[in-house]
Amino acid sequence: MKARVLIRPKEGILDPQGQAVERALPALGFEGVESVHVGRLVELEVADPSRLGEMCEQLLANPLIEDYEVELDDGAAR
Amino acid sequence: MKARVLIRPKEGILDPQGQAVERALPALGFEGVESVHVGRLVELEVADPSRLGEMCEQLLANPLIEDYEVELDDGAAR
Amino acid sequence: MSGASTVEHSTLRHRELGLTDPEYERIVDRLGREPNDVELAVFSLMWSEHCGYKHSRRLLGRLPTEGEHVVMGPGENAGAVDVGDGLAVAFKVESHNHPSAVEPFQGAATGVGGILRDVFAIGARPIAVLDSLRFGELDSARSRYLMNGAVAGIGHYGNSIGVATVGGEILFGEPYESNCLVNAMCVGIAPSERLVRSAAAGVGNLVVLLGALTGRDGIGGASVLASAELGEESASKRPSVQIGDPFEEKKLLECCLELLDRGLLASLQDLGAAGLSSSASEMASKGGVGIDLDVACVPRREPGMEAFEVMVSESQERMLCVVEPARLDAVRAVCDEWDVGATAIGAVTDTRRLRVLEEGEPVGDMPVEALIDDCPLYDLAPQRPVSPVYAAPRARLEAGTALGETLLALLRSENIASKRWAYEQYDGLVGSRTVRRSGSADAAVLHLTHDGTSGAIAVSIDGNGRRVACDPYVGAAEAVLECARNLACVGAEPLGLTNCLNFGNPEKDHIAWQLERAVAGLADACRALGVPVVGGNVSLYNEGGGGPIYPTPIVGMVGRVPDPTSVPESAFVEEGHAVALIGPFRPALAGSELDALRGRLVNGLPEVELKAQARALDAARAAVRSGQLATAHDVSDGGLACALGECCVAGGIGARVDLAGLVRRLAEGGAPRTAETALFGEGPGGVVIAGPGEAIARLAADDDGSDRRVILGETGGDTLVIETGSTARLDIEVAAAREAFERGVADHFS
Amino acid sequence: MRFGVVRFPGSCDETDALLACRRFGEAEIVWHRERDLHGLDAVVLPGGFSYGDYLRVGAIARFSPIMRAIVEFARVGGPVLGICNGFQVLCEARLLPGALLPNTGLRFLCRQVDVRVANADTSFTRACGRGERLSLPVKHGAGRFYAPDEVLDAMEANGQIALRYADGHNPNGSARDAAGVTNEAGNVLGLMPHPEHATDPLTGSTDGGRLFASAVEQIAEGTAVAA
Ligand SMILES: Nc1ncnc2c1ncn2[C@@H]1O[C@H](COP(=O)(O)OP(=O)(O)O)[C@@H](O)[C@H]1O
Ligand SMILES: [Mg+2]
């Protein structure tokens, strides 16, 4: 089964990337953009989707500083 | 409006990050995982969503090496 | 809420914040009332071990701090020494152990960010970073994870901000398994007259916060993360992880240096542990003034922060400065150009109080003196331990292994093997000052000025906790000697020393004993060498689940190299060079790497004769400065055989040497297993040199008859052959040595 | 001969580039907010982490005000050298073909490598001999040059892969061992190795000086325009 993991900086944790993009945008001619956050996207095919959570905890995400969200092929968030 | 941009390495371009994840998983006891790809996730609030395409082409993604997909808050892909 | 329950409530709070009941009473006494939440938060951090040095300040007083070259000593953000030509070099080492044990990448990265700020806070431009790391043994997955993250984090910050990481050391040992050490040292340079102090001055001047927005980073960090033992519950303390933003700091660094260049600041101070609380109270204390801060003015990253959170936030990449009101606009203009935030958040007063306001309403009011000077200081209760504190390391090498195999095993062992895997992740070149860096000499060498007219400096960082565990006094003294010897190998004379004391819980009497003996060793060695201590840092409570770390004083030094064009390498560079050993080297197996590989940890090391060591350093330095040497490499971990092996590997050239003389002397002294001891024994004082035969012969002829200069043999061929007299000889291929040395660490990460 | 070295926020090696240029001519720093090159003869985009290299290496810097002038300068044949991050910026600005991806080893790598001069007819290699080996340091985390195969073929046919890593020296997995590439006209060179860190015998090799000397030679001949 195809799965998609969205990994983003935990709320309240500094997101230097998002901040840098947000600060740069107006100067580049893109106005009206706010709350930019940059995270990671991991896409994979997995035989047993029930273990995805564990996989995120242990490898894909860094639970100390990142939140993650798993989406299975059907688009349903888990 | 809230928007989410998913950016992934173009097919056929070596993705060492994805490979590294794929190699690391079995060692942690996760078997049966394939085709791992690691990309970027950009989330933002934008006043004028019609400019998102331009923003992706010009800044958020590099079309030579990356594909992108924009999702607006309602979940509809564009 | 009734009055009685308020007392109870705050009583609980102070304990949660790490204050003892008597400490709390002392606060009540100094304030003349119960502290409110803001005040309690500020006091708990200012009186924490991390900020207040409760258990170490009295000991630190024993370190010598005076010297003719000292420009700034302990007490400022970084120490500084005069290097001639109107230039000063600022430097300091600091630990980021606990944050790194929780999140190695960010912990190490913010450790580098923090020490950089200490250096540019005094107006010096950072030109180099060095790192000193300790982890558990590499066959542990956790140790590899920590090392991988810490090395990447150091590289990330240093590389991105454009400061060369030029040297460092990494050692491994089981006691560091759950409590790794990440110490970072920064070296900066400035015209002497441009150095600034942090004392706030000028009643009515504005207090301006520069740099990043303030979030809830590290709330509770200083008291909880840095001053309590890391236990099982450390997982729950994780949300306070600080994230480093080297880009923000790069702008901040350039901006601050430009502000100072233009003379726009009255004083400058970095925000480190305890954030605004400590920087504001320290600035006020040093200036003998008061400071009013309005937390409502502090630009925030997160909504809903409380006053106390703003006061103790450890958000990175911020600085506090004092500005005359008339210059505020000029300050803002410079900050705008660099896209650096600048907000007036308070003013200097004559009250000698730190007053915290929120939209003009007082929410905290504390005498600066109470925060800084009234912090309780504790005497240690040192007690020599009666039973061993540490288990012997796991044996990995059988006794009776052939000499050649033993040397290969040592070269492959993680403590000795090349750390190339790590230092190749560091930009060691940026700045165009790097004459020698990791892997090419015993100390890094950096140009002072780009036209080369002002000579160079050498920097090194050293420590060996396992030897300090064997003997805290001797081990600590040896760290000073080793650092100075590394400097001598590039011809540098030490001008000043910085140190970081990484120890376990000082409230335990055997840890207190380690600490006291180690400081005594440091102090005596510094006095013997005439090197003043100009700064440092203390990291206590380094105890994970498995007990205390090895006592690990880390020593960093800066020295002057008058002529960087003749600096030898730590490699054999030509065939047919004569190889010699200089210095009063008396090897012993006790406490050596070989001992450790065989699973032994002794109690007590051979005494060190500091005067003779100081003379030997002078002699080594003079030999190097003669400009005749191609090679100079100090004998340290793994003994003489390893030193020779390393020179062969680095240069890709073999050597044929004879240690029969040394073996004979050892036998006369009654040492057992003399061949092994000569080859692999350790101890201070030895330097391997090589160069053209005539030059080495001349140097050797200068010998005053003691065992200070012995010609050992000659370079050449593709094997290293060491004769030890009649009994046995060591014979290995340089290629095999290289393979062992290069792969020992790297293979763990492939 | 006047070199201009651009300083973006987050540039790190601009002083190094300035020092290197000054061994061969005059040189000055150009702040990224400038819009005019004021008659400079050659432009260097230095190494570092412009805008933190957040999002994607070189992605944000290419929108800096100064870049417009640089694009125009390049279009009319002015010599433009992009070193490391500067190379990444030039690719993002489409002044050079291709893109730079994370090293295959996924780690930042700082080491000395050998490169071979594959084309000695560009603005920055004309003082070199074809096939000449240069010893230069690399230090980067994202230096893997990528372009689609047909683009690489065309580049090779056109001599645009001006510098190649010597056998066994490719540190990052770059396609066709490309260490440095030019635009079609050969006046814009981007390379991952750092020639500016190879101009002083005390701090490394001096081979990098050949690139700066090339530009000087070209300007002296008057074959390039001034901005
Ligand atoms: N081991 C030590 N030896 C000498 N000086 C020390 C030592 N530890 C701390 N100091 C000095 O005490 C002062 C406070 O140190 P620290 O709390 O690390 O400063 P900062 O708040 O700037 O990080 C500094 O001036 C430092 O040099
Ligand atoms: Mg400080």
Side-chain angles (χ1 to χ4, degrees):
Chain A
M1 187 178 291
K2 276 199 180 163
R4 174 193 275 182
V5 183
L6 307 177
I7 300 160
R8 48 176 77 88
K10 258 203 164 76
E11 182 147 283
I13 291 256
L14 177 69
D15 171 16
Q17 298 210 54
Q19 194 174 294
V21 174
E22 188 170 327
R23 286 247 283 268
L25 282 170
L28 311 181
F30 299 103
E31 305 286 342
V33 181
E34 278 179 20
S35 319
V36 182
H37 288 287
V38 178
R40 277 173 302 128
L41 164 71
V42 181
E43 294 181 309
L44 36 76
E45 293 210 27
V46 57
D48 174 7
S50 73
R51 298 199 61 196
L52 272 167
E54 240 178 295
M55 254 187 251
C56 289
E57 292 282 336
Q58 287 185 34
L59 182 73
L60 303 182
N62 181 348
L64 283 184
I65 52 179
E66 295 170 328
D67 284 329
Y68 60 86
E69 190 181 328
V70 176
E71 290 177 2
L72 291 180
D73 197 16
D74 49 12
R78 287 163 50 97
Chain B
M1 187 180 288
K2 274 197 183 167
R4 173 194 280 184
V5 183
L6 306 176
I7 301 159
R8 48 177 77 87
K10 255 203 161 68
E11 199 157 353
I13 297 192
L14 180 70
D15 172 19
Q17 286 198 63
Q19 288 181 349
V21 172
E22 202 166 316
R23 272 199 310 271
L25 284 169
L28 296 173
F30 299 104
E31 307 285 343
V33 181
E34 280 178 16
S35 317
V36 183
H37 289 287
V38 178
R40 255 193 331 275
L41 166 71
V42 181
E43 295 181 309
L44 35 78
E45 294 209 25
V46 56
D48 174 7
S50 73
R51 294 199 61 197
L52 270 169
E54 210 186 320
M55 227 153 79
C56 288
E57 289 283 334
Q58 289 188 28
L59 176 71
L60 302 182
N62 179 345
L64 179 68
I65 49 175
E66 295 164 330
D67 288 327
Y68 62 87
E69 192 181 326
V70 177
E71 290 177 1
L72 290 181
D73 196 18
D74 49 10
R78 287 163 51 99
Chain C
M1 200 180 278
S2 75
S5 73
T6 308
V7 173
E8 185 140 305
H9 169 77
S10 51
T11 307
L12 283 175
R13 286 291 292 276
H14 80 251
R15 287 193 197 153
E16 267 173 42
L17 289 170
L19 292 167
T20 63
D21 293 352
E23 285 171 346
Y24 183 73
E25 280 156 29
R26 191 172 168 125
I27 293 169
V28 174
D29 175 63
R30 295 299 188 272
L31 284 180
R33 58 182 164 78
E34 301 255 343
N36 64 25
D37 277 2
V38 172
E39 292 158 346
L40 189 60
V42 173
F43 267 104
S44 75
L45 287 171
M46 293 308 296
W47 286 17
S48 71
E49 184 61 46
H50 195 59
C51 293
Y53 287 81
K54 287 188 282 201
H55 291 91
S56 56
R57 201 185 295 177
R58 288 189 173 145
L59 262 187
L60 293 179
R62 299 191 194 165
L63 297 171
T65 57
E66 316 253 297
E68 52 170 328
H69 301 288
V70 177
V71 182
M72 270 189 197
E76 288 299 330
N77 286 308
V81 294
D82 179 65
V83 291
D85 285 356
L87 294 173
V89 166
F91 58 104
K92 187 178 175 205
V93 61
E94 202 163 75
S95 66
H96 228 211
N97 303 335
H98 291 120
S100 300
V102 173
E103 214 304 295
F105 181 92
Q106 294 297 343
T110 51
V112 172
I115 193 64
L116 286 163
R117 283 195 296 285
D118 269 328
V119 166
F120 71 79
I122 68 168
R125 171 173 287 279
I127 59 168
V129 167
L130 297 93
D131 60 332
S132 174
L133 312 177
R134 300 292 182 276
F135 304 100
E137 290 163 8
L138 277 180
D139 43 23
S140 133
R142 178 174 160 78
S143 298
R144 291 194 299 272
Y145 161 76
L146 290 172
M147 174 160 160
N148 193 43
V151 168
I154 289 165
H156 169 66
Y157 213 101
N159 299 343
S160 305
I161 200 169
V163 177
T165 302
V166 297
E169 47 153 22
I170 312 179
L171 292 165
F172 305 88
E174 212 277 320
Y176 303 109
E177 170 84 22
S178 51
N179 200 130
C180 62
L181 301 186
V182 173
N183 288 189
M185 170 170 166
C186 177
V187 182
I189 183 172
S192 301
E193 85 279 348
R194 230 256 320 255
L195 293 181
V196 287
R197 295 182 186 266
S198 53
V203 172
N205 281 348
L206 299 172
V207 175
V208 177
L209 180 61
L210 303 177
L213 302 178
T214 298
R216 289 195 176 86
D217 311 272
I219 303 272
S223 66
V224 179
L225 271 182
S227 301
E229 291 176 23
L230 276 184
E232 288 306 313
E233 77 281 18
S234 61
S236 66
K237 291 171 187 152
R238 282 168 172 181
S240 58
V241 171
Q242 306 150 21
I243 307 289
D245 183 353
F247 175 53
E248 186 69 35
E249 183 140 314
K250 171 72 174 170
K251 295 185 297 180
L252 185 61
L253 152 69
E254 297 296 343
C255 181
C256 286
L257 292 180
E258 184 170 340
L259 290 169
L260 291 170
D261 263 344
R262 296 185 181 212
L264 293 174
L265 306 183
S267 57
L268 182 63
Q269 159 78 28
D270 63 295
L271 273 79
L276 277 174
S277 300
S278 82
S279 49
S281 44
E282 274 168 29
M283 286 177 104
S285 162
K286 286 176 190 159
V289 294
I291 284 183
D292 282 2
L293 293 182
D294 194 325
V295 291
C297 299
V298 174
R300 324 267 175 100
R301 201 175 73 228
E302 290 175 65
M305 287 180 70
E306 301 205 26
F308 89 87
E309 292 182 301
V310 174
M311 286 305 291
V312 306
S313 160
E314 295 185 350
S315 287
Q316 302 288 300
E317 291 94 22
R318 298 180 301 162
M319 304 285 282
L320 201 59
C321 61
V322 173
V323 176
E324 287 174 24
R327 292 186 164 157
L328 183 62
D329 286 342
V331 167
R332 284 224 179 91
V334 172
C335 292
D336 281 350
E337 201 54 30
W338 285 105
D339 192 21
V340 164
T343 316
I345 61 166
V348 178
T349 66
D350 61 3
T351 60
R352 295 192 169 217
R353 300 182 77 86
L354 176 64
R355 291 208 311 156
V356 183
L357 313 169
E358 190 163 20
E359 295 188 31
E361 290 300 311
V363 293
D365 187 353
M366 300 150 276
V368 169
E369 197 180 23
L371 289 168
I372 304 279
D373 305 304
D374 294 344
C375 172
L377 297 185
Y378 299 113
D379 281 317
L380 301 176
Q383 206 47 233
R384 187 189 190 115
V386 286
S387 55
V389 180
Y390 305 95
R394 185 161 42 89
R396 299 147 180 242
L397 191 72
E398 286 170 31
T401 309
L403 296 178
E405 283 306 310
T406 304
L407 175 54
L408 291 177
L410 280 166
L411 290 171
R412 195 182 299 115
S413 70
E414 50 209 31
N415 279 341
I416 295 176
S418 168
K419 307 301 183 294
R420 182 186 303 277
W421 177 87
Y423 65 71
E424 276 195 342
Q425 296 184 50
Y426 303 148
D427 178 351
L429 305 173
V430 63
S432 294
R433 296 175 185 274
T434 317
V435 179
R436 291 282 185 277
R437 61 178 148 136
S438 304
S440 65
D442 285 5
V445 178
L446 299 150
H447 274 309
L448 278 172
T449 48
H450 287 110
D451 58 11
T453 52
S454 294
I457 53 167
V459 291
S460 180
I461 188 165
D462 293 282
N464 184 332
R466 200 189 63 250
R467 286 182 77 85
V468 182
C470 294
D471 190 327
Y473 177 88
V474 171
E478 282 183 357
V480 176
L481 294 173
E482 161 137 28
C483 203
R485 208 156 58 240
N486 285 333
L487 256 51
C489 285
V490 297
E493 179 195 359
L495 300 174
L497 178 149
T498 181
N499 70 98
C500 186
L501 302 172
N502 304 273
F503 284 76
N505 180 352
E507 295 162 51
K508 297 179 183 166
D509 50 14
H510 59 281
I511 304 289
W513 176 78
Q514 292 176 337
L515 189 54
E516 199 201 14
R517 295 300 297 155
V519 169
L522 282 182
D524 287 352
C526 287
R527 287 208 171 84
L529 304 191
V531 186
V533 176
V534 299
N537 180 247
V538 177
S539 171
L540 302 177
Y541 301 95
N542 289 288
E543 308 205 3
I549 58 162
Y550 285 145
T552 313
I554 298 295
V555 171
M557 277 188 197
V558 169
R560 187 95 165 75
V561 181
D563 177 16
T565 59
S566 66
V567 175
E569 294 179 44
S570 55
F572 290 143
V573 293
E574 239 176 80
E575 305 232 348
H577 273 175
V579 179
L581 172 68
I582 62 178
F585 178 56
R586 290 197 187 76
L589 287 176
S592 66
E593 276 301 319
L594 183 56
D595 238 20
L597 279 191
R598 289 175 174 166
R600 274 165 46 94
L601 189 71
V602 296
N603 186 357
L605 293 176
E607 237 174 80
V608 190
E609 225 199 294
L610 290 170
K611 281 226 176 71
Q613 291 289 336
R615 277 198 306 273
L617 284 164
D618 291 339
R621 190 181 318 117
V624 169
R625 285 186 176 182
S626 74
Q628 309 281 305
L629 303 186
T631 308
H633 183 34
D634 88 306
V635 181
S636 95
D637 305 345
L640 191 46
C642 274
L644 291 164
E646 287 162 7
C647 291
C648 290
V649 167
I653 298 175
R656 180 171 283 274
V657 301
D658 190 345
L659 301 188
L662 180 59
V663 172
R664 214 174 311 121
R665 266 202 312 281
L666 288 169
E668 281 161 15
R673 296 184 291 156
T674 48
E676 255 183 8
T677 305
L679 286 165
F680 308 117
E682 295 175 23
V687 174
V688 169
I689 59 170
E694 249 173 66
I696 300 293
R698 228 176 304 124
L699 267 172
D702 253 354
D703 195 353
D704 60 3
S706 66
D707 57 348
R708 291 227 207 99
R709 289 149 198 223
V710 201
I711 294 187
L712 300 176
E714 203 177 87
T715 63
D718 46 22
T719 56
L720 169 62
V721 180
I722 309 180
E723 307 284 353
T724 62
S726 56
T727 42
R729 90 207 273 256
L730 182 155
D731 186 344
I732 59 168
E733 288 183 7
V734 175
R738 174 191 294 266
E739 161 112 357
F741 185 69
E742 290 295 344
R743 293 180 55 173
V745 166
D747 275 3
H748 286 284
F749 294 95
S750 56
Chain D
M1 173 73 189
R2 275 172 64 219
F3 288 96
V5 178
V6 179
R7 171 183 280 155
F8 299 106
S11 289
C12 295
D13 299 87
E14 75 275 31
T15 310
D16 310 84
L18 194 72
L19 290 167
C21 289
R22 285 193 178 148
R23 292 174 185 270
F24 299 89
E26 289 170 40
E28 61 204 67
I29 291 285
V30 181
W31 183 232
H32 71 123
R33 285 191 183 156
E34 301 258 334
R35 292 174 187 275
D36 194 320
L37 291 173
H38 300 294
L40 290 171
D41 296 304
V43 174
V44 179
L45 302 190
F49 291 76
S50 54
Y51 290 92
D53 266 356
Y54 292 135
L55 196 60
R56 194 175 60 249
V57 290
I60 301 181
R62 76 127 158 154
F63 291 98
S64 268
I66 192 66
M67 284 308 291
R68 217 176 261 261
I70 290 174
V71 169
E72 182 54 24
F73 179 67
R75 199 184 58 77
V76 299
V80 177
L81 178 66
I83 304 169
C84 196
N85 191 237
F87 184 9
Q88 295 160 342
V89 174
L90 290 175
C91 287
E92 283 284 338
R94 314 279 195 271
L95 281 174
L96 290 174
L100 293 146
L101 296 167
N103 298 350
T104 42
L106 295 175
R107 290 183 206 287
F108 185 98
L109 213 55
C110 175
R111 67 162 68 131
Q112 199 77 15
V113 300
D114 282 358
V115 301
R116 277 183 302 104
V117 178
N119 182 349
D121 286 327
T122 78
S123 295
F124 292 96
T125 56
R126 46 185 289 156
C128 308
R130 195 182 139 85
E132 186 180 342
R133 247 174 125 104
L134 309 175
S135 170
L136 304 172
V138 292
K139 48 187 189 88
H140 58 250
R144 173 167 45 116
F145 183 73
Y146 165 83
D149 272 325
E150 58 284 7
V151 174
L152 290 167
D153 291 342
M155 288 174 73
E156 276 183 333
N158 197 27
Q160 284 174 254
I161 303 187
L163 300 168
R164 288 184 202 267
Y165 296 110
D167 277 352
H169 285 246
N170 185 340
N172 49 35
S174 284
R176 318 248 168 131
D177 290 326
V181 308
T182 70
N183 60 348
E184 274 183 47
N187 62 310
V188 179
L189 172 72
L191 79 168
M192 288 315 295
H194 286 260
E196 82 282 24
H197 285 292
T199 57
D200 176 356
L202 256 192
T203 58
S205 85
T206 54
D207 294 356
R210 307 295 272 273
L211 274 63
F212 300 96
S214 295
V216 171
E217 203 179 285
Q218 167 141 356
I219 296 299
E221 273 179 25
T223 44
V225 293

